[in-house]
Amino acid sequence: MEDLLLVNGIIIDPDNSKRKNGVIGIQKGKFVDPSQIETDSAEIVDLKGAFVAPGFIDIHVHVFENSTFLGVKADDVGISQGVTTIVDAGSSGVDYYNTFKEDVIYKSETEVLAFLNISRKGLVEGTHELHNPEDLMSIYEAKQAFSRNPSLVGIKVRLSRSVVGNQGVLPLLHARKVADQINVPLMVHIGNPPPYLPEVFPILKKGDIVTHAFHGKPHGILEENELIPEAKDALDRGVLFDIGHGSASFSYSILEQFKKRYPYTFTTSTDIHSQNINDSVGSLMVTMTKLLQLGYTLQDIVKSVTILPKRALQLKDQGSFAIGTTADVSIFRIIQQESDLKDAEGKTKKTSKLMKPEITIRNGIIVWKSNQ
Ligand SMILES: [Zn+2]
């Protein structure tokens, strides 16, 4: 493995917004002080003015490719899109996790982590996975799974009417007990009720994640342009919001109203799957471009896919340029290109700029390069 020196890039360091110029040094798969590297023996990568950031993390994807209808190939939404870590959000439950490891985690160059569905079946046998309480994973099963699998980062609960049937918040109450026993966060998907958010939010604790937070369906987080009290209380006690764009779960107008009034940060994720990869979602960088268009700064957007998911999932080795951590790097450009970018409500914004991946480095190795 060759040492790398990344030169002539514009650095976006989520830990230090003032750092812009300089060299990134990589040795034996880790970030090092560049002065430690012998220039003669290193590969010098001239970035020619491209942006360089710690490897991007997408905390909501569906990549259980051959076992679920929604699954796409991990590397298609990972390294070839400038994303070095992806987190599958509940495609697998405990019954299928060995298959998920063998078919996806072991076969991908992208780092694949996962939220384990609170339903034993996950999405393998369909998308009504919480209709039958007998399918809920037990505390014992969860303990076994989490102690054997360092790739597991939390528990996923999808709380839409179509998913829970007549169970209401019961699956969430059960997931709460399980998550507390093993001390991991819950990722809760919100959508069409019931259950309604005033019942859901009080059950969430600091560190839990609400995905699809900015969906445009009725009974969402805002009422008359203000957060409903239960959502405001949740944010104040440290519950985290996540975009989870998806086919039906991201509204420009909801995020614009939220941005005007509230300073809370959120993670940016795609909920990318077979039904939206070629449609409104496209990729993580397309989703990030939409936030640029709404007026978020590039520094804040990069934070939302690096340091914020790192903290949310308590990842030690990803999401920063800290010396000694794994050298995952996302190199990208913002090109001039007229595009019509759609949210999940079918609303279009015209943009003249587009984020485009250029080089992806994983574990200190260049694993993908754009051919343009
Ligand atoms: Zn999803």
Side-chain angles (χ1 to χ4, degrees):
M1 189 191 283
E2 236 178 340
D3 297 350
L4 296 179
L5 286 167
L6 311 181
V7 303
N8 298 328
I10 304 169
I11 296 174
I12 303 181
D13 185 341
D15 291 307
N16 178 3
S17 62
K18 297 217 171 72
R19 182 178 175 198
K20 293 218 161 57
N21 306 308
V23 177
I24 307 276
I26 297 173
Q27 192 167 57
K28 296 196 174 79
K30 309 275 182 199
F31 291 118
V32 295
D33 189 317
S35 66
Q36 229 174 284
I37 293 179
E38 298 276 354
T39 320
D40 299 349
S41 61
E43 182 184 351
I44 301 192
V45 185
D46 185 351
L47 302 181
K48 298 185 180 122
F51 291 102
V52 52
F56 293 164
I57 304 164
D58 185 343
I59 69 167
H60 188 160
V61 302
H62 292 281
V63 292
F64 201 175
E65 194 190 355
N66 295 318
S67 298
T68 62
F69 158 71
L70 292 176
V72 292
K73 196 175 177 59
D75 289 337
D76 287 352
V77 297
I79 54 165
S80 55
Q81 295 294 344
V83 184
T84 50
T85 299
I86 54 179
V87 187
D88 187 280
S91 299
S92 176
V94 70
D95 284 358
Y96 295 98
Y97 202 69
N98 281 333
T99 311
F100 182 75
K101 279 195 293 189
E102 276 157 30
D103 286 1
V104 182
I105 295 184
Y106 299 158
K107 289 187 182 160
S108 305
E109 286 189 90
T110 309
E111 179 180 38
V112 181
L113 306 173
F115 286 93
L116 193 60
N117 202 306
I118 190 67
S119 156
R120 234 183 241 119
K121 299 175 160 65
L123 307 182
V124 174
E125 295 175 29
T127 50
H128 306 300
E129 74 269 18
L130 296 175
H131 279 217
N132 184 353
E134 283 171 17
D135 291 335
L136 293 172
M137 164 172 69
S138 70
I139 291 174
Y140 174 77
E141 287 167 319
K143 277 187 175 163
Q144 296 282 315
F146 277 79
S147 67
R148 288 179 190 152
N149 296 294
S151 50
L152 288 173
V153 297
I155 293 173
K156 178 81 186 283
V157 195
R158 300 199 313 134
L159 291 174
S160 294
R161 181 176 57 216
S162 63
V163 180
V164 301
N166 59 14
Q167 296 296 303
V169 290
L170 290 176
L172 176 60
L173 289 168
H174 177 73
R176 167 85 283 144
K177 271 191 228 154
V178 175
D180 287 350
Q181 284 288 318
I182 48 181
N183 201 21
V184 294
L186 291 175
M187 177 186 262
V188 170
H189 141 141
I190 59 171
N192 285 315
Y196 290 87
L197 297 184
E199 292 178 273
V200 169
F201 278 121
I203 301 169
L204 304 181
K205 290 186 176 171
K206 181 179 181 186
D208 291 334
I209 299 161
V210 176
T211 192
H212 310 315
F214 307 103
H215 74 61
K217 300 164 187 170
H219 307 289
I221 56 168
L222 300 178
E223 212 171 74
E224 312 269 326
N225 299 335
E226 290 196 29
L227 280 168
I228 59 170
E230 294 82 2
K232 173 92 173 54
D233 287 349
L235 284 164
D236 285 339
R237 65 179 181 272
V239 171
L240 306 163
F241 278 3
D242 175 60
I243 290 210
H245 188 310
S247 300
S249 303
F250 174 66
S251 156
Y252 283 134
S253 102
I254 299 290
L255 184 54
E256 278 172 318
Q257 291 170 53
F258 179 83
K259 182 176 185 287
K260 268 186 219 151
R261 286 176 179 72
Y262 302 102
Y264 303 99
T265 57
F266 52 82
T267 48
T268 299
S269 71
T270 56
D271 186 19
I272 201 160
H273 56 63
S274 63
Q275 303 305 293
N276 62 38
I277 187 167
N278 296 316
D279 189 32
S280 60
V281 175
S283 71
L284 184 62
M285 285 204 206
V286 169
T287 303
M288 294 166 76
T289 302
K290 293 177 189 181
L291 301 186
L292 266 183
Q293 182 63 23
L294 292 185
Y296 286 97
T297 66
L298 185 58
Q299 177 83 19
D300 280 344
I301 298 166
V302 167
K303 278 186 179 175
S304 79
V305 296
T306 52
I307 203 89
L308 296 181
K310 173 196 181 75
R311 285 184 200 142
L313 304 180
Q314 297 175 30
L315 305 175
K316 289 192 184 70
D317 235 9
Q318 299 89 336
S320 86
F321 281 128
I323 298 295
T325 61
T326 300
D328 289 350
V329 183
S330 187
I331 294 156
F332 64 96
R333 282 185 194 273
I334 298 180
I335 61 163
Q336 294 291 325
Q337 185 180 311
E338 302 290 324
S339 323
D340 290 329
L341 296 183
K342 248 192 310 174
D343 68 3
E345 301 279 294
K347 214 169 138 195
T348 297
K349 288 207 186 274
K350 286 205 179 305
T351 66
S352 55
K353 291 177 180 152
L354 197 60
M355 290 179 70
K356 278 259 180 203
E358 184 152 302
I359 302 174
T360 309
I361 297 174
R362 167 110 178 86
N363 280 324
I365 296 169
I366 295 176
V367 287
W368 181 85
K369 261 186 188 181
S370 159
N371 49 20
Q372 277 159 7

